[in-house]
Amino acid sequence: MVDLPPEDRDALLDTLDAFLHHGGSADRAARVLHCHPNTVRYRLNRIRELTGRSLNEPLALAELATAAQAVRLNAGRS
């Protein structure tokens, strides 16, 4: 995901963040992101495809959340 253009990467990271902060609900994440729940599901599926990590597995989800935070922190340094 780090190799994606910034706007694509940011959309995926924002979606993952909203998903995590709203109890794993695509519907609630969509409301916060002002988009359709299917858009959230599409983006989450893209994250799965790009990382090989499933959002249904607790360890993989923890890895994704940690990696997303690291990417954001690193982007803040630039």
Side-chain angles (χ1 to χ4, degrees), residues 1-13 16 46-52 63-64 66-76 78:
M1 275 185 19
V2 194
D3 298 335
L4 294 174
E7 57 277 354
D8 290 341
R9 182 190 64 227
D10 291 345
L12 294 178
L13 291 174
L16 179 60
R46 252 188 99 206
I47 291 169
R48 183 190 58 76
E49 289 173 352
L50 290 167
T51 65
E63 291 171 345
L64 284 170
T66 302
Q69 184 64 27
V71 168
R72 289 205 188 264
L73 289 173
N74 191 46
S78 303

Side-chain angles (χ1 to χ4, degrees), residues 4-77:
L4 294 174
E7 57 277 354
D8 290 341
R9 182 190 64 227
D10 291 345
L12 294 178
L13 291 174
D14 289 345
T15 300
L16 179 60
D17 187 57
F19 179 75
L20 292 171
H21 283 94
H22 291 88
S25 169
D27 292 330
R28 291 192 315 215
R31 281 193 291 267
V32 170
L33 295 168
H34 306 288
C35 65
H36 195 276
N38 285 344
T39 300
V40 171
R41 290 182 191 98
Y42 169 78
R43 291 176 185 169
L44 294 173
N45 189 50
R46 252 188 99 206
I47 291 169
R48 183 190 58 76
E49 289 173 352
L50 290 167
T51 65
R53 300 286 192 270
S54 170
L55 297 171
N56 297 322
E57 298 173 17
L59 181 57
L61 192 56
E63 291 171 345
L64 284 170
T66 302
Q69 184 64 27
V71 168
R72 289 205 188 264
L73 289 173
N74 191 46
R77 291 182 172 177

